[in-house]
Amino acid sequence: MSAHAEVQERMTPKQAATWLFIILISLAVIASFGSAGIVFAVLIGLMLTGMPISISLGLTVLTFLFFMSQVPVETVAMKLFTGIEKFEIMAIPFFIVAGNFLTHGGVAKRMINFATSMIGHWHGGLGLAGVMACALFAAVSGSSPATVVAIGSILLPAMVKAGFPRRFGAGVITTSGSLGILIPPSIVMVIYAVATNSSVGALFMAGVVPGIILATLLGSVTWYRARKNNYPRLPKATFKARLKAFRESVWGLLLIAIVLGGIYSGMFTPTEAAAMSAVYAFIVAVFVYKDMPLSRIPKVLLDSANMSAMLLYIITNAVLFSYLMTSEQIPQIMADWIIGHHLGMVAFLAVTNVLLLLAGNVMEPSSIILILAPILFPVAMQLGVDPIHFGILMTVNMEVGMCHPPVGLNLYVASGITKMGISELTMSVLPWLISMIGFMLLITYVPIVSLWLPHLLGY
Protein backbone atom coordinates (compact mmCIF):
# COMPACT_ATOMS: atom_id res chain seq x y z
CA MET A 1 0.00 0.00 0.00
CA SER A 2 1.33 3.48 -0.89
CA ALA A 3 2.12 6.12 1.74
CA HIS A 4 -0.56 8.35 0.20
CA ALA A 5 -3.20 5.65 0.63
CA GLU A 6 -2.10 5.04 4.25
CA VAL A 7 -2.47 8.75 5.06
CA GLN A 8 -5.90 8.80 3.48
CA GLU A 9 -7.00 5.79 5.57
CA ARG A 10 -5.73 7.31 8.81
CA MET A 11 -7.42 10.70 8.22
CA THR A 12 -10.59 10.99 10.32
CA PRO A 13 -13.67 12.94 9.13
CA LYS A 14 -12.80 15.67 11.66
CA GLN A 15 -9.27 16.01 10.24
CA ALA A 16 -10.61 16.04 6.69
CA ALA A 17 -13.09 18.80 7.61
CA THR A 18 -10.27 20.80 9.24
CA TRP A 19 -8.09 20.54 6.12
CA LEU A 20 -11.03 21.50 3.90
CA PHE A 21 -11.72 24.54 6.10
CA ILE A 22 -8.04 25.61 5.93
CA ILE A 23 -8.02 25.26 2.13
CA LEU A 24 -11.27 27.23 1.73
CA ILE A 25 -10.01 30.03 4.04
CA SER A 26 -6.72 30.15 2.08
CA LEU A 27 -8.59 30.41 -1.23
CA ALA A 28 -10.83 33.13 0.20
CA VAL A 29 -7.77 35.12 1.31
CA ILE A 30 -6.22 34.76 -2.15
CA ALA A 31 -9.50 35.79 -3.81
CA SER A 32 -9.62 38.96 -1.68
CA PHE A 33 -6.77 40.40 -3.79
CA GLY A 34 -9.12 41.59 -6.54
CA SER A 35 -9.41 39.99 -9.99
CA ALA A 36 -5.88 38.53 -9.84
CA GLY A 37 -6.73 36.81 -6.56
CA ILE A 38 -9.96 35.37 -7.96
CA VAL A 39 -8.14 33.96 -11.01
CA PHE A 40 -5.52 32.22 -8.87
CA ALA A 41 -8.04 31.05 -6.28
CA VAL A 42 -10.11 29.34 -9.00
CA LEU A 43 -6.98 27.84 -10.62
CA ILE A 44 -5.56 26.50 -7.33
CA GLY A 45 -8.98 25.22 -6.25
CA LEU A 46 -9.42 23.25 -9.48
CA MET A 47 -5.89 21.84 -9.28
CA LEU A 48 -6.48 20.72 -5.67
CA THR A 49 -9.36 18.55 -6.90
CA GLY A 50 -6.85 16.55 -8.94
CA MET A 51 -8.01 17.99 -12.26
CA PRO A 52 -5.30 17.99 -14.99
CA ILE A 53 -3.37 21.27 -15.34
CA SER A 54 -4.56 21.89 -18.91
CA ILE A 55 -8.27 21.56 -18.02
CA SER A 56 -7.79 23.63 -14.84
CA LEU A 57 -6.27 26.44 -16.91
CA GLY A 58 -9.03 26.32 -19.51
CA LEU A 59 -11.88 26.26 -16.99
CA THR A 60 -10.31 29.09 -14.96
CA VAL A 61 -10.07 31.32 -18.03
CA LEU A 62 -13.54 30.47 -19.37
CA THR A 63 -15.17 30.95 -15.94
CA PHE A 64 -13.59 34.38 -15.53
CA LEU A 65 -14.18 35.55 -19.12
CA PHE A 66 -17.83 34.46 -19.27
CA PHE A 67 -18.93 35.57 -15.79
CA MET A 68 -16.61 38.42 -14.77
CA SER A 69 -15.65 40.24 -17.97
CA GLN A 70 -17.15 41.56 -21.21
CA VAL A 71 -14.81 39.70 -23.60
CA PRO A 72 -16.67 38.42 -26.73
CA VAL A 73 -16.90 34.64 -27.21
CA GLU A 74 -15.35 35.06 -30.68
CA THR A 75 -12.14 36.34 -29.07
CA VAL A 76 -11.83 33.17 -26.98
CA ALA A 77 -12.28 30.96 -30.05
CA MET A 78 -9.75 32.99 -32.01
CA LYS A 79 -7.18 32.81 -29.18
CA LEU A 80 -7.60 29.02 -28.95
CA PHE A 81 -6.76 28.76 -32.65
CA THR A 82 -3.94 31.31 -32.83
CA GLY A 83 -2.34 29.92 -29.66
CA ILE A 84 -0.89 26.92 -31.50
CA GLU A 85 -0.46 28.61 -34.87
CA LYS A 86 3.20 29.51 -34.22
CA PHE A 87 5.79 27.85 -36.42
CA GLU A 88 8.11 27.15 -33.44
CA ILE A 89 5.52 24.86 -31.80
CA MET A 90 6.04 22.32 -34.59
CA ALA A 91 9.51 21.64 -33.11
CA ILE A 92 7.95 20.03 -30.01
CA PRO A 93 6.42 16.89 -31.62
CA PHE A 94 9.51 16.44 -33.82
CA PHE A 95 11.89 16.52 -30.83
CA ILE A 96 9.59 14.11 -28.96
CA VAL A 97 9.65 11.65 -31.89
CA ALA A 98 13.45 11.94 -32.14
CA GLY A 99 13.84 11.35 -28.39
CA ASN A 100 11.63 8.24 -28.48
CA PHE A 101 13.53 6.73 -31.41
CA LEU A 102 16.85 7.42 -29.69
CA THR A 103 15.65 6.02 -26.34
CA HIS A 104 14.56 2.70 -27.85
CA GLY A 105 17.01 2.53 -30.74
CA GLY A 106 20.32 1.56 -29.09
CA VAL A 107 21.86 5.06 -29.09
CA ALA A 108 21.95 5.31 -25.28
CA LYS A 109 23.77 1.96 -24.92
CA ARG A 110 26.54 3.03 -27.32
CA MET A 111 26.91 6.44 -25.66
CA ILE A 112 27.36 4.71 -22.28
CA ASN A 113 30.04 2.43 -23.76
CA PHE A 114 31.86 5.45 -25.21
CA ALA A 115 31.69 7.40 -21.93
CA THR A 116 32.86 4.34 -19.94
CA SER A 117 35.85 3.80 -22.23
CA MET A 118 36.92 7.44 -21.80
CA ILE A 119 36.58 7.98 -18.01
CA GLY A 120 35.66 4.59 -16.52
CA HIS A 121 39.14 4.23 -14.92
CA TRP A 122 38.69 7.35 -12.75
CA HIS A 123 37.30 7.20 -9.18
CA GLY A 124 33.63 6.27 -9.45
CA GLY A 125 34.20 5.47 -13.13
CA LEU A 126 30.75 4.09 -13.94
CA GLY A 127 29.11 6.98 -12.09
CA LEU A 128 31.17 9.52 -14.04
CA ALA A 129 30.34 7.64 -17.23
CA GLY A 130 26.67 8.03 -16.27
CA VAL A 131 27.04 11.82 -15.96
CA MET A 132 28.87 12.02 -19.31
CA ALA A 133 26.38 9.70 -21.03
CA CYS A 134 23.45 11.77 -19.68
CA ALA A 135 25.08 14.95 -21.00
CA LEU A 136 25.61 13.39 -24.44
CA PHE A 137 22.11 11.91 -24.60
CA ALA A 138 20.66 15.24 -23.40
CA ALA A 139 22.24 16.85 -26.44
CA VAL A 140 20.14 14.68 -28.76
CA SER A 141 16.89 14.01 -26.86
CA GLY A 142 15.68 17.32 -25.32
CA SER A 143 13.88 15.59 -22.46
CA SER A 144 14.96 14.85 -18.86
CA PRO A 145 12.68 11.86 -18.14
CA ALA A 146 13.75 10.29 -21.47
CA THR A 147 17.41 10.74 -20.46
CA VAL A 148 16.82 9.10 -17.05
CA VAL A 149 15.03 6.14 -18.66
CA ALA A 150 17.49 5.66 -21.52
CA ILE A 151 20.69 5.90 -19.44
CA GLY A 152 19.42 4.70 -16.05
CA SER A 153 17.78 1.47 -17.23
CA ILE A 154 21.10 0.34 -18.74
CA LEU A 155 23.69 1.86 -16.40
CA LEU A 156 22.10 1.39 -12.98
CA PRO A 157 22.04 -2.45 -13.05
CA ALA A 158 25.65 -2.38 -14.31
CA MET A 159 26.68 -0.10 -11.41
CA VAL A 160 25.03 -2.34 -8.79
CA LYS A 161 26.66 -5.41 -10.37
CA ALA A 162 30.07 -3.67 -10.27
CA GLY A 163 29.74 -3.05 -6.52
CA PHE A 164 28.33 0.50 -6.30
CA PRO A 165 25.58 1.14 -3.70
CA ARG A 166 22.17 1.43 -5.32
CA ARG A 167 21.59 4.80 -3.64
CA PHE A 168 24.78 6.22 -5.18
CA GLY A 169 23.75 5.12 -8.68
CA ALA A 170 20.23 6.45 -8.18
CA GLY A 171 21.58 9.85 -7.09
CA VAL A 172 23.87 10.10 -10.13
CA ILE A 173 21.25 9.14 -12.72
CA THR A 174 18.33 11.13 -11.24
CA THR A 175 20.24 14.42 -11.11
CA SER A 176 22.32 13.97 -14.27
CA GLY A 177 19.15 13.16 -16.20
CA SER A 178 17.98 16.73 -15.54
CA LEU A 179 20.63 17.89 -18.06
CA GLY A 180 18.09 16.82 -20.71
CA ILE A 181 16.26 20.17 -20.53
CA LEU A 182 19.33 22.43 -20.21
CA ILE A 183 21.71 21.12 -22.86
CA PRO A 184 20.21 21.95 -26.29
CA PRO A 185 18.01 20.93 -27.98
CA SER A 186 15.45 21.33 -25.20
CA ILE A 187 11.67 20.96 -25.37
CA VAL A 188 11.28 23.18 -22.27
CA MET A 189 13.26 25.98 -23.98
CA VAL A 190 11.01 25.75 -27.04
CA ILE A 191 7.96 26.09 -24.78
CA TYR A 192 9.51 29.14 -23.05
CA ALA A 193 10.26 30.69 -26.45
CA VAL A 194 6.64 30.15 -27.54
CA ALA A 195 5.28 31.60 -24.27
CA THR A 196 7.48 34.73 -24.39
CA ASN A 197 8.20 35.22 -28.12
CA SER A 198 11.94 34.72 -27.49
CA SER A 199 14.51 33.33 -29.93
CA VAL A 200 14.77 29.51 -29.83
CA GLY A 201 18.24 29.64 -31.38
CA ALA A 202 19.54 32.11 -28.76
CA LEU A 203 18.09 29.98 -25.94
CA PHE A 204 19.72 26.83 -27.33
CA MET A 205 23.11 28.55 -27.47
CA ALA A 206 22.64 30.05 -24.01
CA GLY A 207 22.16 26.55 -22.58
CA VAL A 208 25.51 25.19 -23.82
CA VAL A 209 27.92 26.78 -21.29
CA PRO A 210 25.61 26.31 -18.24
CA GLY A 211 25.00 22.71 -19.36
CA ILE A 212 28.74 21.97 -19.50
CA ILE A 213 29.30 23.66 -16.11
CA LEU A 214 26.47 21.70 -14.46
CA ALA A 215 27.67 18.39 -15.96
CA THR A 216 31.17 19.15 -14.61
CA LEU A 217 29.74 20.04 -11.19
CA LEU A 218 27.67 16.83 -10.98
CA GLY A 219 30.70 14.85 -12.14
CA SER A 220 32.85 16.49 -9.43
CA VAL A 221 30.37 15.51 -6.69
CA THR A 222 30.29 11.97 -8.09
CA TRP A 223 34.12 11.75 -8.19
CA TYR A 224 34.52 13.17 -4.66
CA ARG A 225 31.99 10.79 -3.10
CA ALA A 226 33.41 7.80 -4.99
CA ARG A 227 36.98 8.65 -3.93
CA LYS A 228 35.94 9.27 -0.32
CA ASN A 229 34.10 5.91 -0.09
CA ASN A 230 36.62 4.02 -2.24
CA TYR A 231 34.06 2.86 -4.80
CA PRO A 232 35.29 0.57 -7.59
CA ARG A 233 37.13 1.74 -10.72
CA LEU A 234 37.26 0.05 -14.12
CA PRO A 235 40.51 -0.92 -15.87
CA LYS A 236 41.79 1.81 -18.19
CA ALA A 237 40.55 1.20 -21.75
CA THR A 238 43.11 0.92 -24.53
CA PHE A 239 43.22 3.44 -27.36
CA LYS A 240 41.85 0.75 -29.69
CA ALA A 241 38.87 0.12 -27.37
CA ARG A 242 38.15 3.85 -27.15
CA LEU A 243 38.29 4.22 -30.92
CA LYS A 244 35.93 1.26 -31.35
CA ALA A 245 33.46 2.74 -28.81
CA PHE A 246 33.63 6.11 -30.56
CA ARG A 247 33.00 4.58 -33.99
CA GLU A 248 29.95 2.74 -32.65
CA SER A 249 28.51 5.84 -30.98
CA VAL A 250 29.40 8.34 -33.71
CA TRP A 251 25.99 8.07 -35.42
CA GLY A 252 24.29 9.28 -32.26
CA LEU A 253 26.93 11.95 -31.60
CA LEU A 254 26.56 13.26 -35.16
CA LEU A 255 23.01 14.32 -34.38
CA ILE A 256 24.42 17.01 -32.04
CA ALA A 257 26.45 18.45 -34.91
CA ILE A 258 23.52 18.20 -37.34
CA VAL A 259 21.03 20.00 -35.07
CA LEU A 260 23.24 22.70 -33.57
CA GLY A 261 25.56 23.05 -36.57
CA GLY A 262 22.59 23.34 -38.93
CA ILE A 263 20.92 26.04 -36.82
CA TYR A 264 23.99 28.20 -36.34
CA SER A 265 25.31 27.83 -39.88
CA GLY A 266 21.94 29.15 -41.09
CA MET A 267 21.10 25.96 -43.03
CA PHE A 268 17.77 25.57 -41.24
CA THR A 269 15.63 26.99 -38.43
CA PRO A 270 15.24 25.27 -35.02
CA THR A 271 11.89 23.82 -36.18
CA GLU A 272 13.46 22.42 -39.35
CA ALA A 273 16.33 21.09 -37.22
CA ALA A 274 13.76 19.25 -35.08
CA ALA A 275 12.26 17.64 -38.20
CA MET A 276 15.76 16.68 -39.40
CA SER A 277 16.56 15.13 -36.01
CA ALA A 278 13.35 13.03 -36.09
CA VAL A 279 14.15 11.65 -39.57
CA TYR A 280 17.82 11.10 -38.66
CA ALA A 281 16.94 9.32 -35.37
CA PHE A 282 14.53 7.04 -37.28
CA ILE A 283 17.20 6.11 -39.85
CA VAL A 284 19.88 5.48 -37.19
CA ALA A 285 17.59 3.38 -34.93
CA VAL A 286 16.03 1.27 -37.70
CA PHE A 287 18.60 1.02 -40.51
CA VAL A 288 22.03 1.77 -38.99
CA TYR A 289 22.00 0.21 -35.51
CA LYS A 290 19.04 -2.07 -36.39
CA ASP A 291 18.03 -2.25 -32.72
CA MET A 292 14.43 -1.31 -33.47
CA PRO A 293 12.32 -3.67 -35.57
CA LEU A 294 9.83 -2.15 -38.01
CA SER A 295 6.99 -3.66 -35.97
CA ARG A 296 7.78 -1.33 -33.03
CA ILE A 297 7.62 1.89 -35.07
CA PRO A 298 3.79 2.33 -34.81
CA LYS A 299 3.99 2.14 -30.98
CA VAL A 300 6.83 4.71 -30.86
CA LEU A 301 4.85 7.06 -33.11
CA LEU A 302 1.67 6.56 -31.07
CA ASP A 303 3.50 7.28 -27.78
CA SER A 304 5.01 10.41 -29.35
CA ALA A 305 1.58 11.53 -30.59
CA ASN A 306 0.08 11.07 -27.11
CA MET A 307 2.78 13.16 -25.46
CA SER A 308 2.63 15.82 -28.19
CA ALA A 309 -1.16 16.09 -27.93
CA MET A 310 -0.93 16.50 -24.15
CA LEU A 311 1.67 19.31 -24.46
CA LEU A 312 -0.20 21.07 -27.28
CA TYR A 313 -3.43 20.98 -25.29
CA ILE A 314 -1.64 22.53 -22.28
CA ILE A 315 -0.12 25.19 -24.56
CA THR A 316 -3.52 26.05 -26.06
CA ASN A 317 -5.08 26.61 -22.64
CA ALA A 318 -1.96 28.41 -21.38
CA VAL A 319 -2.25 30.90 -24.27
CA LEU A 320 -5.80 31.67 -23.10
CA PHE A 321 -4.49 32.06 -19.54
CA SER A 322 -1.76 34.41 -20.77
CA TYR A 323 -4.40 36.46 -22.61
CA LEU A 324 -6.43 36.70 -19.39
CA MET A 325 -3.34 37.84 -17.45
CA THR A 326 -2.65 40.54 -20.04
CA SER A 327 -6.25 41.75 -20.30
CA GLU A 328 -6.48 42.08 -16.49
CA GLN A 329 -3.03 43.79 -16.43
CA ILE A 330 -1.84 41.42 -13.70
CA PRO A 331 1.87 41.48 -14.75
CA GLN A 332 1.72 45.29 -14.91
CA ILE A 333 0.21 45.47 -11.41
CA MET A 334 2.96 43.16 -10.09
CA ALA A 335 5.69 45.20 -11.79
CA ASP A 336 4.32 48.48 -10.41
CA TRP A 337 4.13 46.98 -6.91
CA ILE A 338 7.73 45.70 -7.05
CA ILE A 339 9.08 48.99 -8.43
CA GLY A 340 6.96 51.00 -5.98
CA HIS A 341 8.46 49.09 -3.05
CA HIS A 342 12.00 49.52 -4.46
CA LEU A 343 12.66 45.76 -4.43
CA GLY A 344 14.81 45.85 -7.57
CA MET A 345 16.18 43.08 -9.76
CA VAL A 346 18.06 41.13 -7.06
CA ALA A 347 14.99 40.71 -4.83
CA PHE A 348 12.75 39.94 -7.81
CA LEU A 349 15.06 37.14 -9.01
CA ALA A 350 15.22 35.70 -5.48
CA VAL A 351 11.39 35.70 -5.26
CA THR A 352 11.23 34.15 -8.76
CA ASN A 353 13.52 31.31 -7.68
CA VAL A 354 11.43 30.60 -4.57
CA LEU A 355 8.18 30.76 -6.55
CA LEU A 356 9.48 28.40 -9.25
CA LEU A 357 10.82 25.92 -6.68
CA LEU A 358 7.48 25.94 -4.85
CA ALA A 359 5.65 25.41 -8.15
CA GLY A 360 8.03 22.51 -8.83
CA ASN A 361 6.50 20.79 -5.79
CA VAL A 362 3.16 20.36 -7.51
CA MET A 363 3.61 20.72 -11.29
CA GLU A 364 5.82 19.50 -14.12
CA PRO A 365 8.14 21.92 -16.02
CA SER A 366 6.05 22.60 -19.14
CA SER A 367 3.01 23.59 -17.08
CA ILE A 368 5.06 25.82 -14.76
CA ILE A 369 6.60 27.73 -17.66
CA LEU A 370 3.29 28.13 -19.49
CA ILE A 371 1.53 29.44 -16.36
CA LEU A 372 4.26 31.58 -14.76
CA ALA A 373 6.27 32.87 -17.75
CA PRO A 374 3.45 35.18 -19.00
CA ILE A 375 3.21 36.64 -15.46
CA LEU A 376 6.91 36.93 -14.53
CA PHE A 377 8.38 37.72 -17.96
CA PRO A 378 6.87 41.25 -18.34
CA VAL A 379 8.00 42.13 -14.80
CA ALA A 380 11.52 40.86 -15.55
CA MET A 381 11.64 42.97 -18.73
CA GLN A 382 10.60 46.11 -16.82
CA LEU A 383 13.40 45.48 -14.31
CA GLY A 384 15.97 45.08 -17.09
CA VAL A 385 16.49 41.30 -16.96
CA ASP A 386 17.69 39.85 -20.27
CA PRO A 387 14.95 37.61 -21.78
CA ILE A 388 17.42 34.84 -22.69
CA HIS A 389 19.04 34.91 -19.25
CA PHE A 390 15.56 34.72 -17.69
CA GLY A 391 14.76 31.69 -19.87
CA ILE A 392 17.88 29.84 -18.70
CA LEU A 393 17.11 30.81 -15.08
CA MET A 394 13.62 29.28 -15.41
CA THR A 395 15.05 26.15 -17.07
CA VAL A 396 17.60 25.61 -14.29
CA ASN A 397 14.82 26.00 -11.71
CA MET A 398 12.87 23.35 -13.60
CA GLU A 399 15.92 21.05 -13.39
CA VAL A 400 16.06 21.41 -9.61
CA GLY A 401 12.29 20.94 -9.39
CA MET A 402 12.52 17.65 -11.30
CA CYS A 403 14.82 16.24 -8.61
CA HIS A 404 13.01 17.20 -5.39
CA PRO A 405 9.79 15.80 -3.88
CA PRO A 406 6.89 15.47 -3.87
CA VAL A 407 6.30 15.61 -7.65
CA GLY A 408 9.82 15.66 -9.11
CA LEU A 409 9.37 13.89 -12.46
CA ASN A 410 12.90 12.47 -12.45
CA LEU A 411 12.35 11.06 -8.95
CA TYR A 412 9.30 9.12 -10.10
CA VAL A 413 10.99 7.88 -13.27
CA ALA A 414 14.10 6.84 -11.30
CA SER A 415 11.89 5.23 -8.64
CA GLY A 416 10.43 2.96 -11.32
CA ILE A 417 13.91 1.95 -12.49
CA THR A 418 15.54 1.54 -9.05
CA LYS A 419 12.50 0.12 -7.19
CA MET A 420 13.26 2.61 -4.39
CA GLY A 421 10.72 4.69 -2.48
CA ILE A 422 10.51 8.46 -3.05
CA SER A 423 11.75 9.28 0.48
CA GLU A 424 14.79 7.00 0.13
CA LEU A 425 15.48 8.36 -3.35
CA THR A 426 15.24 11.93 -2.04
CA MET A 427 18.00 11.23 0.49
CA SER A 428 20.06 9.60 -2.28
CA VAL A 429 20.01 12.69 -4.52
CA LEU A 430 20.67 15.18 -1.69
CA PRO A 431 24.45 15.78 -2.25
CA TRP A 432 23.92 16.41 -5.97
CA LEU A 433 20.77 18.45 -5.32
CA ILE A 434 22.66 20.82 -2.99
CA SER A 435 25.27 21.42 -5.71
CA MET A 436 22.46 22.09 -8.21
CA ILE A 437 20.95 24.75 -5.92
CA GLY A 438 24.37 26.44 -5.71
CA PHE A 439 24.56 26.32 -9.51
CA MET A 440 21.06 27.84 -9.72
CA LEU A 441 22.23 30.83 -7.66
CA LEU A 442 25.25 31.24 -9.97
CA ILE A 443 23.00 31.32 -13.05
CA THR A 444 20.58 33.72 -11.31
CA TYR A 445 23.07 36.40 -10.37
CA VAL A 446 25.88 35.97 -12.95
CA PRO A 447 24.05 36.39 -16.28
CA ILE A 448 27.26 36.38 -18.35
CA VAL A 449 27.44 32.59 -17.79
CA SER A 450 24.30 32.22 -19.91
CA LEU A 451 24.79 35.17 -22.26
CA TRP A 452 28.49 34.93 -23.18
CA LEU A 453 28.05 32.44 -26.04
CA PRO A 454 24.86 33.95 -27.57
CA HIS A 455 26.55 37.39 -27.56
CA LEU A 456 29.69 35.89 -29.11
CA LEU A 457 27.57 34.45 -31.93
CA GLY A 458 25.76 37.75 -32.49
CA TYR A 459 22.40 37.08 -30.78
Side-chain angles (χ1 to χ4, degrees):
M1 185 182 293
S2 69
H4 182 64
E6 287 177 10
V7 170
Q8 280 187 322
E9 280 192 3
R10 289 181 200 150
M11 189 177 285
T12 64
K14 186 178 179 181
Q15 289 173 321
T18 303
W19 275 110
L20 182 61
F21 177 75
I22 291 169
I23 291 169
L24 289 174
I25 290 295
S26 303
L27 293 177
V29 169
I30 295 171
S32 66
F33 290 97
S35 58
I38 294 169
V39 170
F40 286 107
V42 173
L43 178 60
I44 294 167
L46 290 173
M47 285 166 56
L48 285 173
T49 66
M51 190 177 290
I53 298 289
S54 53
I55 298 175
S56 299
L57 279 171
L59 279 179
T60 299
V61 175
L62 293 176
T63 301
F64 191 89
L65 291 180
F66 287 150
F67 296 107
M68 304 184 68
S69 74
Q70 304 298 317
V71 177
V73 179
E74 293 82 0
T75 305
V76 177
M78 186 177 69
K79 283 290 173 185
L80 280 170
F81 176 74
T82 57
I84 53 172
E85 202 180 17
K86 296 178 182 176
F87 184 63
E88 293 87 352
I89 290 180
M90 289 175 62
I92 295 170
F94 285 130
F95 278 131
I96 289 171
V97 170
N100 281 341
F101 275 124
L102 294 169
T103 302
H104 303 291
V107 176
K109 177 174 65 180
R110 290 165 176 84
M111 284 185 171
I112 290 170
N113 291 339
F114 173 62
T116 304
S117 71
M118 296 302 291
I119 56 176
H121 59 284
W122 295 3
H123 288 285
L126 274 177
L128 287 173
V131 177
M132 184 177 174
C134 283
L136 292 173
F137 194 80
V140 295
S141 72
S143 165
S144 283
T147 304
V148 174
V149 169
I151 305 298
S153 56
I154 299 169
L155 194 66
L156 199 65
M159 289 181 73
V160 173
K161 189 177 178 183
F164 288 89
R166 183 176 291 273
R167 291 179 66 166
F168 178 80
V172 171
I173 299 303
T174 304
T175 50
S176 300
S178 66
L179 291 166
I181 61 171
L182 181 59
I183 296 177
S186 163
I187 293 170
V188 168
M189 287 184 189
V190 174
I191 290 172
Y192 173 85
V194 168
T196 61
N197 288 317
S198 301
S199 164
V200 178
L203 282 163
F204 280 5
M205 260 303 104
V208 172
V209 174
I212 292 170
I213 293 173
L214 181 57
T216 305
L217 187 62
L218 295 174
S220 300
V221 175
T222 303
W223 178 86
Y224 172 76
R225 288 181 61 78
R227 186 173 180 227
K228 180 183 175 184
N229 295 298
N230 197 28
Y231 291 152
R233 300 162 67 174
L234 296 176
K236 188 173 182 177
T238 62
F239 177 76
K240 187 177 179 182
R242 289 177 175 178
L243 192 62
K244 180 175 181 287
F246 174 74
R247 277 204 307 265
E248 289 178 350
S249 65
V250 73
W251 289 102
L253 298 173
L254 269 176
L255 185 55
I256 304 170
I258 289 172
V259 172
L260 298 184
I263 291 171
Y264 300 112
S265 65
M267 287 178 65
F268 35 71
T269 66
T271 304
E272 291 163 349
M276 285 288 294
S277 69
V279 174
Y280 181 86
F282 165 74
I283 293 169
V284 168
V286 177
F287 299 111
V288 179
Y289 290 152
K290 299 179 181 176
D291 281 359
M292 180 180 289
L294 290 171
S295 59
R296 284 187 64 190
I297 293 174
K299 185 180 185 307
V300 170
L301 293 176
L302 187 61
D303 290 345
S304 303
N306 284 337
M307 188 178 291
S308 300
M310 178 193 73
L311 278 175
L312 291 174
Y313 187 57
I314 293 173
I315 289 170
T316 304
N317 285 294
V319 168
L320 265 185
F321 186 75
S322 175
Y323 170 72
L324 176 61
M325 294 292 100
T326 307
S327 66
E328 294 299 314
Q329 296 186 326
I330 291 171
Q332 184 65 43
I333 293 167
M334 283 181 61
D336 291 344
W337 187 88
I338 289 169
I339 293 167
H341 286 76
H342 308 290
L343 293 180
M345 186 192 297
V346 173
F348 168 72
L349 292 177
V351 171
T352 297
N353 280 335
V354 172
L355 188 61
L356 291 171
L357 290 175
L358 288 174
N361 282 312
V362 292
M363 288 187 281
E364 49 85 35
S366 302
S367 302
I368 295 172
I369 286 180
L370 287 167
I371 291 172
L372 293 181
I375 301 168
L376 298 173
F377 183 79
V379 182
M381 295 308 97
Q382 281 211 22
L383 294 171
V385 181
D386 187 278
I388 302 304
H389 168 228
F390 195 67
I392 299 301
L393 183 153
M394 289 195 78
T395 304
V396 171
N397 271 280
M398 298 305 98
E399 284 190 296
V400 177
M402 292 181 110
C403 299
H404 72 73
V407 214
L409 267 183
N410 284 11
L411 284 179
Y412 279 92
V413 174
S415 176
I417 297 170
T418 60
K419 311 301 180 196
M420 293 166 63
I422 295 297
S423 55
E424 186 184 2
L425 202 52
T426 302
M427 296 307 297
S428 302
V429 304
L430 204 54
W432 291 270
L433 190 59
I434 291 168
S435 69
M436 289 175 74
I437 291 170
F439 171 75
M440 180 187 76
L441 294 174
L442 172 72
I443 293 297
T444 302
Y445 293 112
V446 188
I448 194 66
V449 176
S450 308
L451 300 177
W452 173 77
L453 193 55
H455 288 172
L456 186 69
L457 294 170
Y459 282 97

